[in-house]
Amino acid sequence: MTSLPIHALLQPLRDTFMCCQQVILEAPTGAGKSTALPLAMLDWPEIDGKILMLEPRRVAARNVAQFIAKQRGCELGTEVGYRVKGDTRVSTNTRLEIVTEGVLTRMIQQDPELTGIDMVIFDEIHERHLTTDLGLALALEIQASFREDLKILAMSATLSGLPLSELMPEARLLKSEGRSFPVEHSYSSVPNQSHWLEHMAKVIVTSVSEHTQGSLLAFLPGQGEINKLHGMLSARLDPNRYIICPLYGSLSPKAQDLAIAPAPRGVNKVVLATNVAESSLTIDGITQVIDSGYKRQARFNPKTGVTRLSLKRISQASAAQRAGRAGRLMAGFCTRLWSQEEHGRLIKADEPEIVHSDLLSMVLDGAYWGVKSLNELPMLTEPSVANEEVSWRLLQTMAMVNESRLITQHGREAHKLGCNPRLAHMLLMAKQKAEDNQDQNLALLACILAGILEARSRSRLGADISRYLSEALQGESQKQIRNWVNTLALSSLGKVDLAQAARNASSHDIAMLLAFAYPDRIAKARGVTGYQLANGCGVELVNDDALSGSPWLVVADFQETEGRSQGKVYLAAQLDCALFDSELAELVITQEYAGWDEVKGRFFAEKQQKIGEILLSKAPINKVDKRLIKQALLEQIRLKGLALMNFNDACHQLQRRAALAKQYCPEHGWPALDDDTLLSELDDWLAPYLDEVRTLTQLQQLDCYTLLLNLLPWDLQQQLEALLPRKWPMATGSSVKIEYDATGRALLSVRLQEALGMQQSPRLAQGKLVVTMELLSPAHRPLALTADLESFWQGPYEHVKKEMKGRYPRHLWPDDPANTQPTKFTKKKTFSSQ
């Protein structure tokens, strides 16, 4: 440990913290930043309180804590401990605590002063997990307001593309050398991508036979691929010589320890891992890495409210991290299952989770902290606007925040439960009903359902969630379920018997509870296996699933897949639509609706009852009022676009001029007039003019150009005409129209003879936009296109003159066009007028 490169920085780091409370440390793989550094800090007398170190992954947190405790010669949970979701090993004597999975965020929320804590270390911050980004933001807020003495150390294997210095401008930057041995890289691209796993198995078998020293680490995208590859290799590798160890997040701690531990004497290890082994974690004896080059990326779709898992190529930074695992102990080998040429096309670094993930839990954390937007916090990267907006709306639907985005008491109670806000809402609603009825079974059933939905793995028993009730009462899930039972104080309602609650669970109660958590995923049958969700998207069951044919479902878990129009249902419950008249009546919306009947060619109006986008019932309204017709007109425009109105070329020209003005002269504060903005703001600029419009014909008679022009104040109208005029005055007295096209080009089409004497092409927008000249023949046919008139006169003009002079002999074709008087007439008329 004392020979690790980080030891050269221990004294500089101590000296820096004497005068500065923020330090950014760049330390590549093998430097010892995750182990030797916190170990040494335990002996620094200036650190009186506790050291918290945030690790992005559970397996790494446990492994690092165990390693440091062993080096320290103490029992895990005494001086050195860890705290991860569902597993805690700490005591009152713990001075170094490794935490993960949002634990730090919860600690800060419960004690904003972080009492007794002297230092917070953020390890592997380059991985950019949501919990890490939020934890750092809250720690910086605390330091700036409550705890100026709090020390913050942000550590990363690389600072490339990481805006830490911008977020922490007062921080001191220190750099450590890494410690790694040379790694020999080779590339073995997959002949057939549909059989890449088979190719990987062959490469592994070849590699372990050629390189007999040390163990092998293979990187795969997920648990499913690991299990398949495990089966392939078990049939090909001698079990007396090789031990095959899977490694992924949902494995039991015992199985994870087996993958990390040294291989038995005389046996080589083959570890099949997800990206949990990419950083922080040192797996004993690894000298070979086989990299599939894939990861499974979760991307939230704000339109459907679900996260799509897809197979993606890793980044170059990730590939470098993976390869580095082979050089931790000695010179190693890395085989990449793609070509060297393809490697150069990989993206440089991975996107941070905050730009593509579901932000629901993060937004509830923000509301609990007291912000109305995540951007009010010092974030490394701005969150996705669409994803954050969806999260705030859902929290409001579940009454966790009010219309002003202030957290409610219900929201505070939900936050304390420490689970997904959807499940927290279900648990609290179930507890309320249990208290009202003095029957705890409904609340116990909610805890069991939450345990199923939070489980990191489960068997395959079909989509019916009721089949998993008994399974949830075992292992890690049971532990979590009992935690909720205790937190909700359900024992006050009687003896807790989870097994009996599972046995007596009715489909009525299961569906009602899931609808509390997933009101947007109530689903109505559409065909045999297809369903429409309340949020508008489509899902489907496997053909032979037991739930197939059910008229109504509540879908608790489904996944969208690239290339498929409908998501696949993994967990659901059959729902009795009678619930819409009782316990779920609050979800039913009654509204008056007017639309356009394409077949009959007229408007219609009806009274509808809906669950989200699902129509339950409708009845005609005979007398249609102005308001409904206006709604129908606006809906038709949103559906079919602005072309449904008299949105002519003059309107398009105005849009393009306004866009160019915003681009070249933004200081004037131009409003956006693009189609998307106009469609999203129809209620503001168009609706007031529809009071007397009854038909599509009347709609098409509106003067759209004037309506658009009026969106610009009078002074901006004048500025627009000065900066980007509709016409250009020629020296001949002609006023020629300027066409602004969709590419941002300003085009002036004029007969060549009228452009004579012009030294340069005109310039617009304070000289920032050069007009493209389309020079025409006397018959108004295009001769040349140029944005550099001076060059045209000096060169290409000669060729044009030779061709055109014989064809149009009565018109002027001078030898010195740049210095010739322009004309609109023939030579005879021009000279006679002179």
Side-chain angles (χ1 to χ4, degrees), residues 152-177:
I152 295 177
L153 174 59
M155 305 195 301
S156 176
T158 175
L159 295 179
S160 176
L162 191 63
L164 268 175
S165 295
E166 287 87 342
L167 184 68
M168 304 162 64
E170 303 299 320
R172 301 288 177 85
L173 174 62
L174 296 177
K175 292 188 178 183
S176 169
E177 297 296 323

CSV table of all heavy atoms in Angstrom, one decimal, residues 152-177:
chain,number,residue,atom,x,y,z
A,152,ILE,N,-14.5,19.0,1.1
A,152,ILE,CA,-15.1,18.2,0.0
A,152,ILE,C,-14.0,17.8,-0.9
A,152,ILE,O,-13.2,18.7,-1.4
A,152,ILE,CB,-16.2,19.0,-0.7
A,152,ILE,CG1,-17.4,19.2,0.2
A,152,ILE,CG2,-16.6,18.2,-2.0
A,152,ILE,CD1,-18.5,20.1,-0.5
A,153,LEU,N,-13.8,16.5,-1.2
A,153,LEU,CA,-12.8,16.0,-2.1
A,153,LEU,C,-13.5,15.3,-3.2
A,153,LEU,O,-14.2,14.3,-3.0
A,153,LEU,CB,-11.9,15.0,-1.3
A,153,LEU,CG,-10.8,14.3,-2.2
A,153,LEU,CD1,-9.9,15.2,-2.9
A,153,LEU,CD2,-10.0,13.3,-1.3
A,154,ALA,N,-13.4,15.8,-4.4
A,154,ALA,CA,-14.0,15.1,-5.6
A,154,ALA,C,-12.9,14.4,-6.4
A,154,ALA,O,-11.9,15.0,-6.8
A,154,ALA,CB,-14.6,16.2,-6.5
A,155,MET,N,-13.0,13.1,-6.5
A,155,MET,CA,-12.0,12.3,-7.1
A,155,MET,C,-12.5,11.7,-8.4
A,155,MET,O,-13.6,11.2,-8.5
A,155,MET,CB,-11.5,11.2,-6.2
A,155,MET,CG,-11.0,11.7,-4.8
A,155,MET,SD,-10.1,10.5,-3.9
A,155,MET,CE,-11.3,9.1,-3.8
A,156,SER,N,-11.6,11.6,-9.4
A,156,SER,CA,-12.0,11.1,-10.7
A,156,SER,C,-10.8,10.5,-11.4
A,156,SER,O,-9.6,10.9,-11.2
A,156,SER,CB,-12.6,12.2,-11.6
A,156,SER,OG,-12.9,11.6,-12.9
A,157,ALA,N,-11.0,9.4,-12.1
A,157,ALA,CA,-9.9,8.8,-12.9
A,157,ALA,C,-9.5,9.7,-14.0
A,157,ALA,O,-8.4,9.7,-14.5
A,157,ALA,CB,-10.4,7.4,-13.4
A,158,THR,N,-10.5,10.5,-14.5
A,158,THR,CA,-10.2,11.5,-15.6
A,158,THR,C,-11.0,12.7,-15.4
A,158,THR,O,-12.2,12.6,-15.0
A,158,THR,CB,-10.4,10.8,-17.0
A,158,THR,OG1,-10.2,11.8,-18.0
A,158,THR,CG2,-11.8,10.3,-17.1
A,159,LEU,N,-10.5,13.8,-15.8
A,159,LEU,CA,-11.3,15.1,-15.7
A,159,LEU,C,-11.7,15.5,-17.1
A,159,LEU,O,-12.4,16.5,-17.3
A,159,LEU,CB,-10.5,16.2,-15.1
A,159,LEU,CG,-10.1,16.0,-13.6
A,159,LEU,CD1,-9.3,17.2,-13.1
A,159,LEU,CD2,-11.3,15.9,-12.8
A,160,SER,N,-11.4,14.7,-18.1
A,160,SER,CA,-11.8,15.0,-19.5
A,160,SER,C,-13.3,15.1,-19.6
A,160,SER,O,-14.0,14.1,-19.3
A,160,SER,CB,-11.3,13.9,-20.4
A,160,SER,OG,-11.7,14.1,-21.8
A,161,GLY,N,-13.8,16.2,-20.1
A,161,GLY,CA,-15.2,16.4,-20.3
A,161,GLY,C,-16.0,16.5,-19.0
A,161,GLY,O,-17.3,16.5,-19.0
A,162,LEU,N,-15.3,16.7,-17.9
A,162,LEU,CA,-16.0,16.8,-16.6
A,162,LEU,C,-15.9,18.2,-16.1
A,162,LEU,O,-14.8,18.7,-15.7
A,162,LEU,CB,-15.4,15.8,-15.6
A,162,LEU,CG,-16.0,15.6,-14.3
A,162,LEU,CD1,-17.4,14.9,-14.5
A,162,LEU,CD2,-15.2,14.6,-13.4
A,163,PRO,N,-17.0,19.0,-16.0
A,163,PRO,CA,-16.9,20.4,-15.7
A,163,PRO,C,-16.8,20.7,-14.2
A,163,PRO,O,-17.5,21.6,-13.7
A,163,PRO,CB,-18.2,20.9,-16.3
A,163,PRO,CG,-19.2,19.8,-16.2
A,163,PRO,CD,-18.4,18.6,-16.4
A,164,LEU,N,-15.9,20.0,-13.5
A,164,LEU,CA,-15.8,20.2,-12.1
A,164,LEU,C,-15.2,21.5,-11.7
A,164,LEU,O,-15.7,22.2,-10.7
A,164,LEU,CB,-14.9,19.1,-11.5
A,164,LEU,CG,-15.6,17.8,-10.9
A,164,LEU,CD1,-14.6,16.8,-10.5
A,164,LEU,CD2,-16.5,18.1,-9.8
A,165,SER,N,-14.3,22.0,-12.5
A,165,SER,CA,-13.6,23.3,-12.2
A,165,SER,C,-14.6,24.4,-12.4
A,165,SER,O,-14.5,25.4,-11.6
A,165,SER,CB,-12.4,23.5,-13.1
A,165,SER,OG,-11.4,22.5,-12.8
A,166,GLU,N,-15.5,24.3,-13.3
A,166,GLU,CA,-16.5,25.3,-13.5
A,166,GLU,C,-17.5,25.3,-12.3
A,166,GLU,O,-18.0,26.4,-11.9
A,166,GLU,CB,-17.3,25.1,-14.8
A,166,GLU,CG,-16.5,25.4,-16.0
A,166,GLU,CD,-15.7,24.2,-16.5
A,166,GLU,OE1,-15.5,23.3,-15.8
A,166,GLU,OE2,-15.3,24.3,-17.7
A,167,LEU,N,-17.9,24.1,-11.8
A,167,LEU,CA,-18.8,24.0,-10.7
A,167,LEU,C,-18.1,24.5,-9.4
A,167,LEU,O,-18.8,25.0,-8.5
A,167,LEU,CB,-19.3,22.6,-10.6
A,167,LEU,CG,-20.4,22.3,-9.5
A,167,LEU,CD1,-21.7,23.0,-9.8
A,167,LEU,CD2,-20.6,20.8,-9.3
A,168,MET,N,-16.8,24.2,-9.3
A,168,MET,CA,-16.1,24.5,-8.0
A,168,MET,C,-14.9,25.3,-8.4
A,168,MET,O,-13.7,24.9,-8.3
A,168,MET,CB,-15.6,23.1,-7.4
A,168,MET,CG,-16.8,22.2,-7.1
A,168,MET,SD,-16.3,20.5,-6.8
A,168,MET,CE,-15.3,20.6,-5.3
A,169,PRO,N,-15.1,26.6,-8.7
A,169,PRO,CA,-14.0,27.4,-9.2
A,169,PRO,C,-13.0,27.7,-8.1
A,169,PRO,O,-11.8,28.1,-8.4
A,169,PRO,CB,-14.7,28.7,-9.6
A,169,PRO,CG,-16.0,28.7,-8.9
A,169,PRO,CD,-16.4,27.3,-8.7
A,170,GLU,N,-13.3,27.6,-6.8
A,170,GLU,CA,-12.4,27.9,-5.8
A,170,GLU,C,-11.5,26.6,-5.4
A,170,GLU,O,-10.6,26.7,-4.6
A,170,GLU,CB,-13.1,28.4,-4.5
A,170,GLU,CG,-13.9,29.6,-4.8
A,170,GLU,CD,-13.1,30.8,-5.2
A,170,GLU,OE1,-12.0,31.0,-4.7
A,170,GLU,OE2,-13.6,31.5,-6.1
A,171,ALA,N,-11.9,25.5,-6.0
A,171,ALA,CA,-11.2,24.3,-5.6
A,171,ALA,C,-9.8,24.2,-6.1
A,171,ALA,O,-9.5,24.7,-7.2
A,171,ALA,CB,-12.0,23.1,-6.1
A,172,ARG,N,-8.9,23.6,-5.4
A,172,ARG,CA,-7.5,23.3,-5.8
A,172,ARG,C,-7.5,22.0,-6.6
A,172,ARG,O,-8.2,21.0,-6.2
A,172,ARG,CB,-6.6,23.2,-4.6
A,172,ARG,CG,-6.6,24.5,-3.8
A,172,ARG,CD,-5.9,25.7,-4.5
A,172,ARG,NE,-5.9,26.9,-3.7
A,172,ARG,CZ,-5.0,27.2,-2.7
A,172,ARG,NH1,-4.0,26.4,-2.5
A,172,ARG,NH2,-5.1,28.3,-2.1
A,173,LEU,N,-6.7,21.9,-7.6
A,173,LEU,CA,-6.6,20.7,-8.4
A,173,LEU,C,-5.3,20.1,-8.2
A,173,LEU,O,-4.2,20.7,-8.2
A,173,LEU,CB,-6.7,21.1,-9.9
A,173,LEU,CG,-6.5,20.0,-10.9
A,173,LEU,CD1,-7.5,18.9,-10.8
A,173,LEU,CD2,-6.5,20.5,-12.4
A,174,LEU,N,-5.3,18.8,-7.8
A,174,LEU,CA,-4.1,17.9,-7.6
A,174,LEU,C,-4.2,16.8,-8.6
A,174,LEU,O,-5.3,16.2,-8.8
A,174,LEU,CB,-4.0,17.5,-6.2
A,174,LEU,CG,-3.8,18.5,-5.1
A,174,LEU,CD1,-3.8,17.9,-3.7
A,174,LEU,CD2,-2.5,19.3,-5.3
A,175,LYS,N,-3.0,16.3,-9.1
A,175,LYS,CA,-3.0,15.2,-10.0
A,175,LYS,C,-2.0,14.1,-9.5
A,175,LYS,O,-0.9,14.5,-9.0
A,175,LYS,CB,-2.6,15.6,-11.4
A,175,LYS,CG,-3.6,16.5,-12.1
A,175,LYS,CD,-3.2,16.8,-13.6
A,175,LYS,CE,-4.3,17.6,-14.2
A,175,LYS,NZ,-4.0,17.8,-15.7
A,176,SER,N,-2.5,12.9,-9.6
A,176,SER,CA,-1.6,11.8,-9.2
A,176,SER,C,-1.3,10.9,-10.4
A,176,SER,O,-2.1,10.9,-11.4
A,176,SER,CB,-2.4,10.9,-8.1
A,176,SER,OG,-1.7,9.7,-7.9
A,177,GLU,N,-0.2,10.3,-10.3
A,177,GLU,CA,0.1,9.3,-11.4
A,177,GLU,C,-0.7,8.0,-11.1
A,177,GLU,O,-1.1,7.7,-10.0
A,177,GLU,CB,1.6,8.9,-11.3
A,177,GLU,CG,2.6,10.1,-11.6
A,177,GLU,CD,2.4,10.6,-13.0
A,177,GLU,OE1,2.2,9.8,-13.9
A,177,GLU,OE2,2.5,11.8,-13.2
